[in-house]
Amino acid sequence: MSRTCKEIRADFIKFFEDRGHTFVPSSSLLPGDDPTLLFTNAGMNQYKELFLGTAVRDYVRAANTQKCIRAGGKHNDLEDVGRDTYHHTFFEMLGNWSFGDYFKEDAIKWAWELLTEVWGLPKDRLYATVFEGDAADGLEADDEARKLWTELTDIDPSHILMGNKKDNFWEMGDTGPCGPCSEVHIDLTPDGSGKSLVNADDARVIEIWNLVFIQFNRGADGSLTPLPARHVDTGMGLERVGMAMQGKKSNYATDLFVPIIEKIETLTEHRYGASAGIEDRFDVADADDIGNVACRVIADHARTLTFAIADGIIPSNEGRGYVVRRILRRAARYGRQYLNIEGTFLATLIETVVELMGDVFPEIVERKDYVIATVTEEEESFGRTLDRGIQLFNRQADKVKAAGQNTLGGDVAFDLYATYGFPVDLTQLMAEEIEMEVDMDDFRAKMDEHRDASKGDGSTFKVDAVAGLPACDDSGKYAHDEALGASVIGWVDGENFVTEGSLAAGAESVVVLDKTNFYGQSGGQLGDSGQLVWDGGRFAVSDTQVAGDCILHMGAVVEGSLQVGQSVQCEVNTDRLATMRNHTATHLLNWALRKVVGDQVNQAGSEVGPHHLRFDFSHGKAVDAEQLAEVERLVNDRVMADEAVSINNMSLDDARKIPGVRAVFGEKYGQEVRVVSIGAAAEIEDADANYAIELCGGTHMRSTGGIGLFKIVSEESVAKGVRRITALTGNKAVEHIQRMEVVIKGVSGVLRAPADALVDRITAMQKEIKELRKRPAGGGGSAISVVSEINGAQGKAVVALADGGDSGQMRNFCDQQRQKGADAVFVGGADGGKVILIAMVNQELVDSSGIKAGDWVKEIAPIVGGGGGGKPTLAQAGGKDPSKLSDALTTAGQWIGAKLG
């Protein structure tokens, strides 16, 4: 029975291919155009439109192995990882699907055949669960499935168990396709007595296969409506079935994880499972040994990081990027705190993951260097604050315990988040490890304040809950300059598709036609605007969106009344031409960046509209001015060459064979794709690196000369490892250059220097200003000397004496010392009978230790017969006794030394 996980994966695919299923490659972990998902979390995600009936494909049966992440949203296994031996943030889901073809009968029959006849799993160890019904949703028990298990298989009838909605009604998210499911569980107890442990979240009896019978759609209001057709969606965790077939008790003892744990052992003195005293130490199932927990967490998270970053999900402070950052920092903390691994180490594990899985998922091989660079940079960044953050946590936890309490304040959790980069769930985990908890209400309140400044309204139109939208022929979008006659099929009203009635003048709606020449937003290109016109009426289209194979015209009736069945003329606004210029230029920019910056550049997103183009790409540092100039020159050379833009439709398999063809992270492609090539020969298969070739469904110029002019206006960072270029074309580019020319002429006039001498002139002026700032005020020749330097556990402080009482000069000194690395600076000076004291503390030290500049001067000022105060980061005081200045500075050093520890 024992088989490697590679063999199990191959067995599964072949079994279903032999039964008429089409093998469909895994989709990206970045959900293409589904705003309800953080990550691809199930094999069915890429088929959601098929289940809703808004799209069709050239197959009705499919099988694959899908890479999945469950670390956010409705399905979130992050907190369980490491504590048990069978939950993961990343896993492979083997699955087979039927789209309106076979249903429960074949799904159940084939599942039993594969498990027991092909793989030989013991029948007396298998259990099948069936949905018992739910009164609140008005759902009856799935007696059909129970009967089929009895009639089609030789399972022990007593092993068919009824399950509640939580366990046996599957839903992808809060909205979307769903239905009852029948799960297969395997009993791994020594004596086969695990019946009572089915669905009890016990590692000894676990689910290995879930057969979902999709027949409903869950609306945003929680209601269930029948889908146009019934479907089958099954999912089998490769890690779990591998454990069962290899005779293990832990997923981490399979050939998917052991090589990663062995690599971790080369970085630490800890030996996984060594203290368990069992023959196979990797098959340990304890949660008490924190070193073993750490190894499991790190092994799991290394896989997640490899696949997520390879699919373009970059660590950041928002959304799915923040989840990836949390995962990385969680792994780094476990390695540093519990395995005593010094420095960065996660990148070394990427190599092992790629070696294990690169033959099945070639994208991680192609992007390995990029993943390693991203992980290394992110881990180094966190490493700079990790130890200090742990120290702060320990100090605050000790204070709480000393006060006889066990709740850590939300302000501490927020400080750890904002100053040291500790995700709050990491702080909660650290608190739980010492039997404490975090005041999450207080933390959330502070987070709300923090987010208010940057929060957007998040208003977008969502159609995920609208079932039964009809297909629309949008082939006319490629001939947008011609008005197109079409017929109104209906419109969307809330979550319903309406096919009767009328819309009066002033009504806002989303109109669906039988055909259109409007381009629906996709692939980075914004949706068209324009109008639908009929005798006596007009519907102004403000935006066009896509829902499966349906095109949605969003807008309002401006004149007349719009009826279902009404014939209309579709007129696209003329600014589409500017969008086409920008889209074709984006392809040339992509090509030029690879030529100049390197072939490791991958597109990470784009926005193409009539006013500008934005292009996001993977790159670890800024593109310098010389490189940008070369990119711009290369694009404009091809614009002036007026090269032909060719379009070819072909199968996805054939397109992937074209040398140099480019695709986009997270983009969903059908079996038939559109290939846009610039400068390619008649035979596209003969293309080389001089051709810009991409899979693209957007609209383009017929030749590059139509772009007119290409001008880069900015290059910036949008996330760690991701850069963004914004550029203009055509008239917009000309207008920008003209504006810049006016500015340059104005500056030339003010400085009385020709344009080509402006840089030298401004540089000389900056140097002169810098030298002037260094001179003592009034030219009196006063100086400032350092009295003492204090290096404490929490930072560095400098105390200094000024020869005079120039407060401006003293503040400049504080700034200079902070730039040199000082966290706190105190300067005192006297001029006649007047004493000036200035304290400066950086914000990080204020946040981490509570040391404040105002407190510092208040403590010292009385020594010189004065007083004062100020902000936590900057404070000033005066005094009347210069003879005590030396004593004051000595005390200032002692005070800050005690605070820094």
Side-chain angles (χ1 to χ4, degrees), residues 220-517:
D221 62 354
S223 63
L224 293 173
T225 54
L227 289 170
R230 300 187 305 176
H231 316 283
V232 170
D233 161 34
T234 85
M236 170 190 289
L238 176 61
E239 294 77 6
R240 290 189 179 186
V241 75
M243 174 187 68
M245 293 190 65
Q246 292 174 18
K248 308 296 184 182
K249 297 188 292 292
S250 165
N251 291 2
Y252 294 91
T254 68
D255 53 354
L256 288 173
F257 285 96
V258 168
I260 305 174
I261 296 175
E262 288 177 333
K263 183 67 175 180
I264 295 171
E265 290 181 338
T266 67
L267 308 171
T268 175
E269 294 182 0
H270 180 78
R271 292 297 172 263
Y272 185 83
S275 63
I278 58 177
E279 183 177 351
D280 181 359
R281 65 184 178 92
F282 293 102
D283 207 16
V284 65
D286 70 304
D288 298 326
D289 188 319
I290 192 64
N292 293 343
V293 172
C295 286
R296 290 195 288 268
V297 168
I298 294 168
D300 171 89
H301 291 5
R303 293 180 1 133
T304 305
L305 294 169
T306 301
F307 280 89
I309 296 172
D311 274 359
I313 306 172
I314 309 301
S316 69
N317 284 330
E318 295 181 353
R320 57 180 65 94
Y322 183 57
V323 176
V324 172
R325 174 166 285 170
R326 286 166 55 201
I327 289 170
L328 187 148
R329 294 183 174 185
R330 195 169 186 261
R333 201 274 301 195
Y334 268 104
R336 181 74 63 88
Q337 192 167 2
Y338 294 119
L339 298 182
N340 298 315
I341 302 175
E342 295 295 331
T344 60
F345 66 92
L346 290 172
T348 63
L349 305 179
I350 305 301
E351 297 269 7
T352 306
V353 175
V354 172
E355 289 172 7
L356 281 172
M357 307 181 75
D359 59 333
V360 181
F361 302 101
E363 63 272 20
I364 65 174
V365 179
E366 297 166 6
R367 299 163 193 161
K368 180 184 73 172
D369 292 342
Y370 171 65
V371 174
I372 288 174
T374 302
V375 168
T376 300
E377 182 180 1
E378 180 74 15
E379 192 179 1
E380 285 177 345
S381 175
F382 185 46
R384 287 191 284 271
T385 60
L386 175 57
D387 289 337
R388 291 176 65 182
I390 291 174
Q391 291 170 5
L392 172 63
F393 174 88
N394 289 337
R395 281 199 310 275
Q396 296 295 337
D398 289 344
K399 289 181 182 178
V400 171
K401 286 185 174 181
Q405 301 174 350
N406 72 337
T407 301
L408 197 67
D411 56 335
V412 177
F414 181 77
D415 283 346
L416 284 166
Y417 164 79
T419 306
Y420 299 101
F422 277 48
V424 69
D425 60 320
L426 180 56
T427 303
Q428 286 180 291
L429 179 63
M430 293 168 67
E432 184 180 322
E433 289 170 354
I434 56 173
E435 298 182 346
M436 293 183 67
E437 59 184 25
V438 176
D439 185 342
M440 290 302 297
D441 290 339
D442 188 25
F443 172 79
R444 292 187 190 99
K446 287 177 170 53
M447 280 298 297
D448 288 342
E449 295 172 10
H450 177 68
R451 288 171 175 152
D452 280 345
S454 59
K455 185 187 298 181
D457 63 10
S459 57
T460 56
F461 178 78
K462 297 180 180 180
V463 295
D464 297 85
V466 182
L469 290 173
C472 173
D473 176 7
D474 66 342
S475 57
K477 65 190 177 187
Y478 298 122
H480 73 286
D481 49 349
E482 303 173 9
L484 179 74
S487 178
V488 176
I489 297 177
W491 45 80
V492 176
D493 180 11
E495 293 183 11
N496 301 311
F497 179 57
V498 178
T499 56
E500 58 183 17
S502 63
L503 292 173
E508 296 184 355
S509 192
V510 181
V511 173
V512 177
L513 308 174
D514 63 336
K515 55 185 174 180
T516 187
N517 57 353

Side-chain angles (χ1 to χ4, degrees), residues 610-781:
H611 304 299
H612 64 264
L613 67 90
R614 286 206 317 243
F615 185 78
D616 297 347
F617 57 99
S618 57
H619 192 51
K621 59 182 179 180
V623 181
D624 62 41
E626 186 176 329
Q627 290 175 314
L628 287 174
E630 178 63 8
V631 167
E632 198 173 87
R633 183 191 69 77
L634 287 173
V635 172
N636 281 308
D637 282 351
R638 301 195 71 166
V639 170
M640 289 184 286
D642 195 23
E643 297 175 325
V645 178
S646 303
I647 309 295
N648 290 272
N649 293 303
M650 62 183 70
S651 72
L652 180 59
D653 288 340
D654 288 341
R656 284 175 169 155
K657 297 174 185 176
I658 300 171
V661 69
R662 309 297 290 187
V664 183
F665 284 144
E667 191 72 15
K668 292 194 292 187
Y669 298 103
Q671 294 305 300
E672 193 77 14
V673 294
R674 189 167 180 264
V675 181
V676 177
S677 54
I678 302 175
E683 296 297 326
I684 194 171
E685 292 80 5
D686 297 330
D688 61 30
N690 290 317
Y691 305 135
I693 305 177
E694 297 189 30
L695 305 186
C696 180
T699 60
H700 288 272
M701 305 301 294
R702 293 185 175 89
S703 65
T704 59
I707 296 171
L709 177 67
F710 173 81
K711 180 64 184 173
I712 295 173
V713 296
S714 68
E715 191 274 350
E716 60 188 330
S717 171
V718 292
K720 194 173 290 292
V722 179
R723 309 294 300 181
R724 170 175 292 168
I725 284 179
T726 302
L728 306 172
T729 63
N731 293 336
K732 295 291 184 183
V734 173
E735 292 168 3
H736 174 79
I737 291 172
Q738 290 174 333
R739 287 195 301 272
M740 292 302 99
E741 186 177 15
V742 170
V743 172
I744 290 171
K745 284 182 178 179
V747 176
S748 294
V750 171
L751 298 182
R752 298 182 181 181
D756 58 2
L758 285 178
V759 173
D760 290 340
R761 180 74 182 96
I762 293 172
T763 301
M765 291 174 64
Q766 288 176 322
K767 183 177 181 181
E768 183 179 350
I769 292 169
K770 188 174 181 180
E771 290 298 323
L772 286 171
R773 285 176 174 169
K774 290 181 179 178
R775 298 177 188 175

Side-chain angles (χ1 to χ4, degrees), residues 26 33 50 139 147 190 213 265 314 474 732 801 844 882 889:
S26 172
D33 53 3
L50 302 184
L139 296 170
K147 181 179 179 183
F213 310 120
E265 290 181 338
I314 309 301
D474 66 342
K732 295 291 184 183
L801 171 66
E844 182 177 319
L889 295 179

Side-chain angles (χ1 to χ4, degrees), residues 27 64 90 93 140 183 296 302 365 390 568 613 671 684 758 789 856 879:
S27 63
N64 82 347
F90 172 87
M93 182 177 285
E140 297 181 354
E183 297 177 340
R296 290 195 288 268
V365 179
I390 291 174
V568 298
L613 67 90
Q671 294 305 300
I684 194 171
L758 285 178
E789 290 187 1
W856 203 357

